[in-house]
Amino acid sequence: MKKSFLLGGIFVLSLWGTSCQQPAATADYRIVPCPQQIDTTANKGESFVLNSRTKIVYPEGNEKMGRNAQFLFEYISKMVHLNLQTTTEAKDNNVILLQTGLESDNPEAYSLKVTPDQIIIQGASEAGTFYGIQTLRKTLPASEKKSNVEFPSATIEDSPRFGYRGAHFDVARHFFTIEEVKEYIDMMALHNMNRLHWHITDDQGWRIEIKKYPKLTEVGSQREETLIGHASERPERFDGKPYGGFYTQEEAKEIVAYAAEHYITVIPEVDLPGHMQAALTAYPELGCTGGPYKVWTKWGISEEVLCAGNDKALQFLDDVFTEIMQIFPAQYIHIGGDECPKVRWEKCPKCQARIKAEGIRSDKTHTKEQYLQTFVMQHVASFLEKHGRKIIGWDEMLEGNAIPGATIMSWRGEKGGIQAAQSGHDVIMTPNTYLYFDYMQSKDKENEPLGIGGYIPVKKVYEYSPIPESLSVEESKHIIGVQANLWTEYIATFDHVQYMVLPRWAALSENQWTCSSHKNYRDFLNRLEALMRVYKAEGYNFAKHVLSDPDFPQQPQAEEME
Ligand code: ACM
Ligand code: ZN
C-alpha cells in the first residue's frame, strides 16, 4: 500500500550530531516540496549505502543528463563531502542511475527508486530527472565531514501540480550582479521552480542593453542618488550617491543559458506604458511633455509615462522588443501594464489626437485614456504575436478592452485572476495578499530591515490556495501557475534578497508543486527544518522567524539554525 508523507512519521531519523560518525548517517525523505507519493513498505529494513565508491551513471551522448550528473555530483559533495565519479559506463551495483523515459503525461514527472544496489532516478524528460535529483539532494544530511549515507528502501513517484512555478526578481530598483542572479536561479532550482520573471526596466533604472537605443543604458541605467528611508517619510532624504548598473546582451544571454541548464525559463518584463521614466530620461521625445526627465531617485508611481500618441514611441517599442526577443527565447514576454497614471495623456495633444483617430470613446466602465492604454498594449501584443510570442501582463490589462490570448498576472489580490479566468484568459496567481515577498515577515518593525510594509509570514504563504473557490472546474484550468514577487525598492543587497525569500519560497513551492490534499502546515514545518539545513550548507541567508512558531520542531534542532 502506498503511503503519503503526511500519514508518515515513519522516518525517525536523527541527523544532527551523527553525520560525522560511522556507520552512515541516514537519508531523510521528508522534503520540501512534498512529493505526491512515497512508498516505504517494500523491502523494509533494506537500504542503499552511498559511499565514496558510489558512481553516478548517466546515458552516453545525452549532454543534459551529463549536466544533471554533474549537478548531483556537486550537491552530494556539498552536503556530505563525497566526491563521486560520474560515468556513462553501465554498472549494476553501488550506482545512482540517472535515466529518462518514464511514462507520464507530465514531462516534469520523475520516479526515484531506492534498492540495496541502486538508486534509480527516472524522469519523463531531463527536467523530470533534474527534479528527482533535487529530491535526492534534499534527503541528504548536512555533514561537516566526509560521510556515508544510508538510504532506506523507498519509491517516490512525483510530478508538479502547476506547469508555471515562478519567482519574480526586480533588478531595476536595485541592481544585482550576474553572479547574484545566478545564485537566485540556484535557489529557485532547489525549490523546483521553473520560471524566472525578470523585471529589467523601471522608473529607477533601465537594466538591459538595447543596441538601437544606446542611451537607455548609458543614461537610463544610472540615477543621481537614492531615497533613504520609507517613501512616506517627510521630509524626503537622499543618499547623494550615484547608483547604476545594467546587463549587456551577452550577459543576459549568459543568464538565459544558465537558467536553461536548471530547467528554468527566463521571462523578461519590459514594463509599459508606465514605469518608463528611466527610458524617457534617455529619450525625452518619447514622453508627452518632452521632458527633461531624470531617472527616478525615489519610490512610488511616476506620472511620466510613454506618449501613446507618438508614433515614435510605438516604433521604439517594436525596436526594443525585437532585441528582447533575440535575447530571450521564452514563449512568453511580460509587457507590464501596471500602475500607469493617465494625467499626462489627458492633457497631451498627441494622445488626444490618437484617441480621436482611433475612434476611442469612454463608457460607463472605463475612461478613454484607459482604452488608449489597451491600444498601446494591443500594439505590442500584435507585434509579439506576429513573431510567435505570447504576452503576459499585470491585471490592469483587464481595464479597457481585453486582449485576446493575453495571460493575466493577478497581483491586486485574487480578484483580477478570478475575473480573467472567468473570461477565458490564462492566469498566473501572484496576489499581494499572500505572495509579495517584499512585504514584512514580522510585526516587530524595530528588529526588521526597513521594508515596504504589509505582513506575510511563512504561515500565511502556506495557507494560500491558488485555485479560488469561486471558479468552476473548467475555469480553474486557466490558473496555469503561481509566483511570488520580489520588488526591491527596500532591498539593496543580495543577502537581504535571500532573507526576504527564504524560507517563504519553501511555503510557496508547496503551493506550486504539491497537491492541495497533501498540504499540512505542521508536517511542512517538520520538513522545512531539513530544508533549512540545505540553506545552511549552501551559505544562504534565510529568515528565522518561523523557528519560534509553536509548531516548529523543538530544540535543539532550532538552535542549530543560528
Ligand atoms: C505591481 O506590483 N505593481 C505589479
Ligand atoms: Zn502623449
Side-chain angles (χ1 to χ4, degrees), residues 107-140:
E108 295 182 302
Y110 71 91
S111 72
L112 189 157
K113 193 166 169 41
V114 180
T115 66
D117 289 336
Q118 302 173 331
I119 296 178
I120 304 175
I121 299 176
Q122 187 176 35
S125 66
E126 289 86 356
T129 312
F130 182 74
Y131 296 119
I133 288 169
Q134 294 303 326
T135 289
L136 187 71
R137 160 198 197 182
K138 284 179 262 193
T139 68
L140 294 169

PDB file of all heavy atoms in Angstrom, residues 107-140:
ATOM      1  N   PRO A 107       5.756  16.042 -18.416  1.00  0.00           N
ATOM      2  CA  PRO A 107       7.186  15.948 -18.745  1.00  0.00           C
ATOM      3  C   PRO A 107       8.106  16.230 -17.561  1.00  0.00           C
ATOM      4  O   PRO A 107       9.292  15.909 -17.607  1.00  0.00           O
ATOM      5  CB  PRO A 107       7.384  17.002 -19.845  1.00  0.00           C
ATOM      6  CG  PRO A 107       6.188  17.897 -19.762  1.00  0.00           C
ATOM      7  CD  PRO A 107       5.070  17.104 -19.169  1.00  0.00           C
ATOM      8  N   GLU A 108       7.556  16.815 -16.504  1.00  0.00           N
ATOM      9  CA  GLU A 108       8.399  17.124 -15.338  1.00  0.00           C
ATOM     10  C   GLU A 108       8.307  16.039 -14.255  1.00  0.00           C
ATOM     11  O   GLU A 108       8.868  16.192 -13.180  1.00  0.00           O
ATOM     12  CB  GLU A 108       8.010  18.483 -14.754  1.00  0.00           C
ATOM     13  CG  GLU A 108       8.284  19.632 -15.726  1.00  0.00           C
ATOM     14  CD  GLU A 108       7.951  20.990 -15.138  1.00  0.00           C
ATOM     15  OE1 GLU A 108       6.795  21.201 -14.730  1.00  0.00           O
ATOM     16  OE2 GLU A 108       8.853  21.839 -15.095  1.00  0.00           O
ATOM     17  N   ALA A 109       7.602  14.961 -14.563  1.00  0.00           N
ATOM     18  CA  ALA A 109       7.456  13.879 -13.580  1.00  0.00           C
ATOM     19  C   ALA A 109       8.759  13.094 -13.456  1.00  0.00           C
ATOM     20  O   ALA A 109       9.586  13.069 -14.369  1.00  0.00           O
ATOM     21  CB  ALA A 109       6.334  12.940 -14.021  1.00  0.00           C
ATOM     22  N   TYR A 110       8.909  12.445 -12.310  1.00  0.00           N
ATOM     23  CA  TYR A 110      10.052  11.554 -12.113  1.00  0.00           C
ATOM     24  C   TYR A 110       9.674  10.459 -11.120  1.00  0.00           C
ATOM     25  O   TYR A 110       8.692  10.580 -10.384  1.00  0.00           O
ATOM     26  CB  TYR A 110      11.277  12.328 -11.576  1.00  0.00           C
ATOM     27  CG  TYR A 110      11.123  12.775 -10.150  1.00  0.00           C
ATOM     28  CD1 TYR A 110      11.538  11.984  -9.079  1.00  0.00           C
ATOM     29  CD2 TYR A 110      10.522  13.989  -9.847  1.00  0.00           C
ATOM     30  CE1 TYR A 110      11.366  12.377  -7.762  1.00  0.00           C
ATOM     31  CE2 TYR A 110      10.342  14.400  -8.533  1.00  0.00           C
ATOM     32  CZ  TYR A 110      10.767  13.594  -7.492  1.00  0.00           C
ATOM     33  OH  TYR A 110      10.586  13.981  -6.186  1.00  0.00           O
ATOM     34  N   SER A 111      10.448   9.397 -11.144  1.00  0.00           N
ATOM     35  CA  SER A 111      10.344   8.416 -10.061  1.00  0.00           C
ATOM     36  C   SER A 111      11.742   8.227  -9.486  1.00  0.00           C
ATOM     37  O   SER A 111      12.749   8.397 -10.193  1.00  0.00           O
ATOM     38  CB  SER A 111       9.780   7.092 -10.579  1.00  0.00           C
ATOM     39  OG  SER A 111      10.746   6.445 -11.364  1.00  0.00           O
ATOM     40  N   LEU A 112      11.773   7.930  -8.212  1.00  0.00           N
ATOM     41  CA  LEU A 112      13.054   7.709  -7.532  1.00  0.00           C
ATOM     42  C   LEU A 112      12.911   6.417  -6.744  1.00  0.00           C
ATOM     43  O   LEU A 112      12.044   6.307  -5.887  1.00  0.00           O
ATOM     44  CB  LEU A 112      13.344   8.901  -6.606  1.00  0.00           C
ATOM     45  CG  LEU A 112      14.728   8.985  -5.953  1.00  0.00           C
ATOM     46  CD1 LEU A 112      15.045  10.423  -5.568  1.00  0.00           C
ATOM     47  CD2 LEU A 112      14.889   8.081  -4.745  1.00  0.00           C
ATOM     48  N   LYS A 113      13.735   5.454  -7.106  1.00  0.00           N
ATOM     49  CA  LYS A 113      13.586   4.123  -6.503  1.00  0.00           C
ATOM     50  C   LYS A 113      14.899   3.746  -5.824  1.00  0.00           C
ATOM     51  O   LYS A 113      15.968   3.763  -6.440  1.00  0.00           O
ATOM     52  CB  LYS A 113      13.247   3.122  -7.617  1.00  0.00           C
ATOM     53  CG  LYS A 113      12.771   1.782  -7.139  1.00  0.00           C
ATOM     54  CD  LYS A 113      12.149   1.041  -8.333  1.00  0.00           C
ATOM     55  CE  LYS A 113      11.857  -0.400  -8.106  1.00  0.00           C
ATOM     56  NZ  LYS A 113      11.317  -0.818  -6.868  1.00  0.00           N
ATOM     57  N   VAL A 114      14.779   3.419  -4.536  1.00  0.00           N
ATOM     58  CA  VAL A 114      15.961   3.033  -3.761  1.00  0.00           C
ATOM     59  C   VAL A 114      15.916   1.541  -3.480  1.00  0.00           C
ATOM     60  O   VAL A 114      14.953   1.052  -2.873  1.00  0.00           O
ATOM     61  CB  VAL A 114      16.021   3.802  -2.420  1.00  0.00           C
ATOM     62  CG1 VAL A 114      17.262   3.381  -1.615  1.00  0.00           C
ATOM     63  CG2 VAL A 114      16.005   5.304  -2.641  1.00  0.00           C
ATOM     64  N   THR A 115      16.915   0.819  -3.962  1.00  0.00           N
ATOM     65  CA  THR A 115      17.061  -0.607  -3.628  1.00  0.00           C
ATOM     66  C   THR A 115      18.473  -0.777  -3.048  1.00  0.00           C
ATOM     67  O   THR A 115      19.288   0.144  -3.136  1.00  0.00           O
ATOM     68  CB  THR A 115      16.915  -1.497  -4.881  1.00  0.00           C
ATOM     69  OG1 THR A 115      18.027  -1.228  -5.748  1.00  0.00           O
ATOM     70  CG2 THR A 115      15.620  -1.232  -5.615  1.00  0.00           C
ATOM     71  N   PRO A 116      18.788  -1.925  -2.479  1.00  0.00           N
ATOM     72  CA  PRO A 116      20.116  -2.077  -1.874  1.00  0.00           C
ATOM     73  C   PRO A 116      21.266  -1.834  -2.858  1.00  0.00           C
ATOM     74  O   PRO A 116      22.325  -1.354  -2.468  1.00  0.00           O
ATOM     75  CB  PRO A 116      20.100  -3.525  -1.381  1.00  0.00           C
ATOM     76  CG  PRO A 116      18.671  -3.796  -1.096  1.00  0.00           C
ATOM     77  CD  PRO A 116      17.912  -3.067  -2.159  1.00  0.00           C
ATOM     78  N   ASP A 117      21.064  -2.135  -4.131  1.00  0.00           N
ATOM     79  CA  ASP A 117      22.155  -1.987  -5.104  1.00  0.00           C
ATOM     80  C   ASP A 117      22.188  -0.642  -5.811  1.00  0.00           C
ATOM     81  O   ASP A 117      23.223  -0.202  -6.292  1.00  0.00           O
ATOM     82  CB  ASP A 117      22.046  -3.073  -6.184  1.00  0.00           C
ATOM     83  CG  ASP A 117      22.389  -4.448  -5.629  1.00  0.00           C
ATOM     84  OD1 ASP A 117      23.115  -4.499  -4.611  1.00  0.00           O
ATOM     85  OD2 ASP A 117      21.894  -5.441  -6.193  1.00  0.00           O
ATOM     86  N   GLN A 118      21.023  -0.051  -5.939  1.00  0.00           N
ATOM     87  CA  GLN A 118      20.935   1.132  -6.819  1.00  0.00           C
ATOM     88  C   GLN A 118      19.948   2.166  -6.278  1.00  0.00           C
ATOM     89  O   GLN A 118      18.989   1.808  -5.595  1.00  0.00           O
ATOM     90  CB  GLN A 118      20.378   0.723  -8.183  1.00  0.00           C
ATOM     91  CG  GLN A 118      21.162  -0.331  -8.903  1.00  0.00           C
ATOM     92  CD  GLN A 118      20.423  -0.786 -10.156  1.00  0.00           C
ATOM     93  OE1 GLN A 118      19.197  -0.744 -10.225  1.00  0.00           O
ATOM     94  NE2 GLN A 118      21.188  -1.210 -11.144  1.00  0.00           N
ATOM     95  N   ILE A 119      20.205   3.385  -6.695  1.00  0.00           N
ATOM     96  CA  ILE A 119      19.135   4.391  -6.657  1.00  0.00           C
ATOM     97  C   ILE A 119      18.887   4.739  -8.118  1.00  0.00           C
ATOM     98  O   ILE A 119      19.827   5.101  -8.841  1.00  0.00           O
ATOM     99  CB  ILE A 119      19.538   5.659  -5.882  1.00  0.00           C
ATOM    100  CG1 ILE A 119      19.785   5.321  -4.406  1.00  0.00           C
ATOM    101  CG2 ILE A 119      18.459   6.737  -6.019  1.00  0.00           C
ATOM    102  CD1 ILE A 119      20.234   6.510  -3.560  1.00  0.00           C
ATOM    103  N   ILE A 120      17.656   4.581  -8.556  1.00  0.00           N
ATOM    104  CA  ILE A 120      17.346   4.927  -9.949  1.00  0.00           C
ATOM    105  C   ILE A 120      16.449   6.156  -9.952  1.00  0.00           C
ATOM    106  O   ILE A 120      15.375   6.156  -9.339  1.00  0.00           O
ATOM    107  CB  ILE A 120      16.612   3.780 -10.677  1.00  0.00           C
ATOM    108  CG1 ILE A 120      17.434   2.499 -10.603  1.00  0.00           C
ATOM    109  CG2 ILE A 120      16.342   4.162 -12.134  1.00  0.00           C
ATOM    110  CD1 ILE A 120      16.730   1.285 -11.188  1.00  0.00           C
ATOM    111  N   ILE A 121      16.914   7.179 -10.636  1.00  0.00           N
ATOM    112  CA  ILE A 121      16.070   8.366 -10.825  1.00  0.00           C
ATOM    113  C   ILE A 121      15.698   8.401 -12.298  1.00  0.00           C
ATOM    114  O   ILE A 121      16.567   8.529 -13.163  1.00  0.00           O
ATOM    115  CB  ILE A 121      16.804   9.668 -10.445  1.00  0.00           C
ATOM    116  CG1 ILE A 121      17.218   9.637  -8.969  1.00  0.00           C
ATOM    117  CG2 ILE A 121      15.915  10.881 -10.721  1.00  0.00           C
ATOM    118  CD1 ILE A 121      18.043  10.840  -8.534  1.00  0.00           C
ATOM    119  N   GLN A 122      14.413   8.264 -12.567  1.00  0.00           N
ATOM    120  CA  GLN A 122      13.973   8.255 -13.960  1.00  0.00           C
ATOM    121  C   GLN A 122      12.983   9.395 -14.181  1.00  0.00           C
ATOM    122  O   GLN A 122      11.955   9.479 -13.499  1.00  0.00           O
ATOM    123  CB  GLN A 122      13.309   6.918 -14.305  1.00  0.00           C
ATOM    124  CG  GLN A 122      12.995   6.828 -15.791  1.00  0.00           C
ATOM    125  CD  GLN A 122      12.417   5.491 -16.188  1.00  0.00           C
ATOM    126  OE1 GLN A 122      11.667   4.881 -15.427  1.00  0.00           O
ATOM    127  NE2 GLN A 122      12.732   5.047 -17.397  1.00  0.00           N
ATOM    128  N   GLY A 123      13.310  10.257 -15.129  1.00  0.00           N
ATOM    129  CA  GLY A 123      12.436  11.382 -15.433  1.00  0.00           C
ATOM    130  C   GLY A 123      11.643  11.121 -16.696  1.00  0.00           C
ATOM    131  O   GLY A 123      12.067  10.351 -17.563  1.00  0.00           O
ATOM    132  N   ALA A 124      10.506  11.800 -16.812  1.00  0.00           N
ATOM    133  CA  ALA A 124       9.760  11.754 -18.071  1.00  0.00           C
ATOM    134  C   ALA A 124      10.492  12.581 -19.128  1.00  0.00           C
ATOM    135  O   ALA A 124      10.208  12.491 -20.317  1.00  0.00           O
ATOM    136  CB  ALA A 124       8.341  12.274 -17.850  1.00  0.00           C
ATOM    137  N   SER A 125      11.402  13.421 -18.664  1.00  0.00           N
ATOM    138  CA  SER A 125      12.305  14.187 -19.535  1.00  0.00           C
ATOM    139  C   SER A 125      13.543  14.462 -18.682  1.00  0.00           C
ATOM    140  O   SER A 125      13.575  14.100 -17.507  1.00  0.00           O
ATOM    141  CB  SER A 125      11.654  15.524 -19.914  1.00  0.00           C
ATOM    142  OG  SER A 125      11.540  16.312 -18.736  1.00  0.00           O
ATOM    143  N   GLU A 126      14.509  15.148 -19.267  1.00  0.00           N
ATOM    144  CA  GLU A 126      15.698  15.504 -18.477  1.00  0.00           C
ATOM    145  C   GLU A 126      15.297  16.413 -17.314  1.00  0.00           C
ATOM    146  O   GLU A 126      15.900  16.364 -16.235  1.00  0.00           O
ATOM    147  CB  GLU A 126      16.745  16.200 -19.348  1.00  0.00           C
ATOM    148  CG  GLU A 126      17.442  15.281 -20.345  1.00  0.00           C
ATOM    149  CD  GLU A 126      16.682  15.117 -21.659  1.00  0.00           C
ATOM    150  OE1 GLU A 126      15.558  15.664 -21.772  1.00  0.00           O
ATOM    151  OE2 GLU A 126      17.208  14.448 -22.566  1.00  0.00           O
ATOM    152  N   ALA A 127      14.281  17.243 -17.542  1.00  0.00           N
ATOM    153  CA  ALA A 127      13.809  18.123 -16.458  1.00  0.00           C
ATOM    154  C   ALA A 127      13.266  17.281 -15.308  1.00  0.00           C
ATOM    155  O   ALA A 127      13.538  17.556 -14.135  1.00  0.00           O
ATOM    156  CB  ALA A 127      12.732  19.070 -16.981  1.00  0.00           C
ATOM    157  N   GLY A 128      12.499  16.257 -15.647  1.00  0.00           N
ATOM    158  CA  GLY A 128      11.973  15.369 -14.603  1.00  0.00           C
ATOM    159  C   GLY A 128      13.107  14.757 -13.794  1.00  0.00           C
ATOM    160  O   GLY A 128      13.063  14.726 -12.558  1.00  0.00           O
ATOM    161  N   THR A 129      14.136  14.277 -14.492  1.00  0.00           N
ATOM    162  CA  THR A 129      15.289  13.701 -13.786  1.00  0.00           C
ATOM    163  C   THR A 129      15.914  14.748 -12.860  1.00  0.00           C
ATOM    164  O   THR A 129      16.307  14.451 -11.723  1.00  0.00           O
ATOM    165  CB  THR A 129      16.350  13.203 -14.794  1.00  0.00           C
ATOM    166  OG1 THR A 129      15.685  12.425 -15.788  1.00  0.00           O
ATOM    167  CG2 THR A 129      17.416  12.373 -14.118  1.00  0.00           C
ATOM    168  N   PHE A 130      15.975  15.970 -13.344  1.00  0.00           N
ATOM    169  CA  PHE A 130      16.545  17.069 -12.541  1.00  0.00           C
ATOM    170  C   PHE A 130      15.767  17.238 -11.225  1.00  0.00           C
ATOM    171  O   PHE A 130      16.360  17.433 -10.166  1.00  0.00           O
ATOM    172  CB  PHE A 130      16.500  18.352 -13.369  1.00  0.00           C
ATOM    173  CG  PHE A 130      17.093  19.565 -12.699  1.00  0.00           C
ATOM    174  CD1 PHE A 130      18.462  19.704 -12.556  1.00  0.00           C
ATOM    175  CD2 PHE A 130      16.273  20.578 -12.230  1.00  0.00           C
ATOM    176  CE1 PHE A 130      19.016  20.839 -11.958  1.00  0.00           C
ATOM    177  CE2 PHE A 130      16.808  21.712 -11.628  1.00  0.00           C
ATOM    178  CZ  PHE A 130      18.181  21.837 -11.498  1.00  0.00           C
ATOM    179  N   TYR A 131      14.428  17.154 -11.299  1.00  0.00           N
ATOM    180  CA  TYR A 131      13.643  17.295 -10.059  1.00  0.00           C
ATOM    181  C   TYR A 131      13.847  16.095  -9.136  1.00  0.00           C
ATOM    182  O   TYR A 131      13.846  16.248  -7.911  1.00  0.00           O
ATOM    183  CB  TYR A 131      12.161  17.543 -10.379  1.00  0.00           C
ATOM    184  CG  TYR A 131      11.986  18.857 -11.099  1.00  0.00           C
ATOM    185  CD1 TYR A 131      11.451  18.928 -12.381  1.00  0.00           C
ATOM    186  CD2 TYR A 131      12.428  20.037 -10.513  1.00  0.00           C
ATOM    187  CE1 TYR A 131      11.360  20.136 -13.051  1.00  0.00           C
ATOM    188  CE2 TYR A 131      12.350  21.243 -11.177  1.00  0.00           C
ATOM    189  CZ  TYR A 131      11.814  21.291 -12.452  1.00  0.00           C
ATOM    190  OH  TYR A 131      11.745  22.485 -13.100  1.00  0.00           O
ATOM    191  N   GLY A 132      14.058  14.929  -9.725  1.00  0.00           N
ATOM    192  CA  GLY A 132      14.400  13.762  -8.906  1.00  0.00           C
ATOM    193  C   GLY A 132      15.736  13.977  -8.202  1.00  0.00           C
ATOM    194  O   GLY A 132      15.911  13.605  -7.036  1.00  0.00           O
ATOM    195  N   ILE A 133      16.668  14.607  -8.911  1.00  0.00           N
ATOM    196  CA  ILE A 133      17.972  14.914  -8.312  1.00  0.00           C
ATOM    197  C   ILE A 133      17.807  15.921  -7.172  1.00  0.00           C
ATOM    198  O   ILE A 133      18.427  15.802  -6.118  1.00  0.00           O
ATOM    199  CB  ILE A 133      18.930  15.443  -9.412  1.00  0.00           C
ATOM    200  CG1 ILE A 133      19.334  14.294 -10.331  1.00  0.00           C
ATOM    201  CG2 ILE A 133      20.143  16.127  -8.809  1.00  0.00           C
ATOM    202  CD1 ILE A 133      20.065  14.724 -11.591  1.00  0.00           C
ATOM    203  N   GLN A 134      16.942  16.915  -7.399  1.00  0.00           N
ATOM    204  CA  GLN A 134      16.690  17.887  -6.316  1.00  0.00           C
ATOM    205  C   GLN A 134      16.143  17.169  -5.087  1.00  0.00           C
ATOM    206  O   GLN A 134      16.500  17.478  -3.956  1.00  0.00           O
ATOM    207  CB  GLN A 134      15.709  18.980  -6.774  1.00  0.00           C
ATOM    208  CG  GLN A 134      16.237  19.888  -7.871  1.00  0.00           C
ATOM    209  CD  GLN A 134      17.534  20.590  -7.503  1.00  0.00           C
ATOM    210  OE1 GLN A 134      17.774  20.936  -6.346  1.00  0.00           O
ATOM    211  NE2 GLN A 134      18.408  20.776  -8.487  1.00  0.00           N
ATOM    212  N   THR A 135      15.256  16.210  -5.334  1.00  0.00           N
ATOM    213  CA  THR A 135      14.686  15.458  -4.215  1.00  0.00           C
ATOM    214  C   THR A 135      15.778  14.687  -3.482  1.00  0.00           C
ATOM    215  O   THR A 135      15.896  14.763  -2.252  1.00  0.00           O
ATOM    216  CB  THR A 135      13.574  14.506  -4.729  1.00  0.00           C
ATOM    217  OG1 THR A 135      12.458  15.311  -5.101  1.00  0.00           O
ATOM    218  CG2 THR A 135      13.141  13.504  -3.677  1.00  0.00           C
ATOM    219  N   LEU A 136      16.593  13.970  -4.234  1.00  0.00           N
ATOM    220  CA  LEU A 136      17.658  13.186  -3.608  1.00  0.00           C
ATOM    221  C   LEU A 136      18.577  14.088  -2.777  1.00  0.00           C
ATOM    222  O   LEU A 136      18.933  13.778  -1.639  1.00  0.00           O
ATOM    223  CB  LEU A 136      18.469  12.452  -4.679  1.00  0.00           C
ATOM    224  CG  LEU A 136      19.504  11.478  -4.124  1.00  0.00           C
ATOM    225  CD1 LEU A 136      18.811  10.268  -3.519  1.00  0.00           C
ATOM    226  CD2 LEU A 136      20.477  11.027  -5.193  1.00  0.00           C
ATOM    227  N   ARG A 137      18.899  15.211  -3.359  1.00  0.00           N
ATOM    228  CA  ARG A 137      19.776  16.169  -2.689  1.00  0.00           C
ATOM    229  C   ARG A 137      19.212  16.597  -1.333  1.00  0.00           C
ATOM    230  O   ARG A 137      19.931  16.737  -0.352  1.00  0.00           O
ATOM    231  CB  ARG A 137      19.890  17.372  -3.635  1.00  0.00           C
ATOM    232  CG  ARG A 137      20.335  18.630  -3.014  1.00  0.00           C
ATOM    233  CD  ARG A 137      19.989  19.791  -3.925  1.00  0.00           C
ATOM    234  NE  ARG A 137      20.749  20.950  -3.557  1.00  0.00           N
ATOM    235  CZ  ARG A 137      20.638  22.129  -4.147  1.00  0.00           C
ATOM    236  NH1 ARG A 137      19.807  22.293  -5.158  1.00  0.00           N
ATOM    237  NH2 ARG A 137      21.346  23.152  -3.746  1.00  0.00           N
ATOM    238  N   LYS A 138      17.884  16.784  -1.311  1.00  0.00           N
ATOM    239  CA  LYS A 138      17.262  17.291  -0.082  1.00  0.00           C
ATOM    240  C   LYS A 138      17.100  16.207   0.990  1.00  0.00           C
ATOM    241  O   LYS A 138      16.771  16.503   2.119  1.00  0.00           O
ATOM    242  CB  LYS A 138      15.911  17.936  -0.426  1.00  0.00           C
ATOM    243  CG  LYS A 138      16.100  19.308  -1.076  1.00  0.00           C
ATOM    244  CD  LYS A 138      14.796  19.972  -1.448  1.00  0.00           C
ATOM    245  CE  LYS A 138      14.486  19.769  -2.907  1.00  0.00           C
ATOM    246  NZ  LYS A 138      13.398  20.622  -3.414  1.00  0.00           N
ATOM    247  N   THR A 139      17.295  14.956   0.594  1.00  0.00           N
ATOM    248  CA  THR A 139      17.218  13.888   1.606  1.00  0.00           C
ATOM    249  C   THR A 139      18.554  13.728   2.338  1.00  0.00           C
ATOM    250  O   THR A 139      18.624  13.010   3.334  1.00  0.00           O
ATOM    251  CB  THR A 139      16.881  12.524   0.958  1.00  0.00           C
ATOM    252  OG1 THR A 139      17.997  12.098   0.164  1.00  0.00           O
ATOM    253  CG2 THR A 139      15.636  12.586   0.109  1.00  0.00           C
ATOM    254  N   LEU A 140      19.601  14.367   1.817  1.00  0.00           N
ATOM    255  CA  LEU A 140      20.927  14.158   2.398  1.00  0.00           C
ATOM    256  C   LEU A 140      21.081  14.920   3.707  1.00  0.00           C
ATOM    257  O   LEU A 140      20.597  16.051   3.828  1.00  0.00           O
ATOM    258  CB  LEU A 140      22.004  14.654   1.417  1.00  0.00           C
ATOM    259  CG  LEU A 140      22.132  13.890   0.102  1.00  0.00           C
ATOM    260  CD1 LEU A 140      23.030  14.651  -0.861  1.00  0.00           C
ATOM    261  CD2 LEU A 140      22.682  12.486   0.360  1.00  0.00           C
TER     262      LEU A 140
END
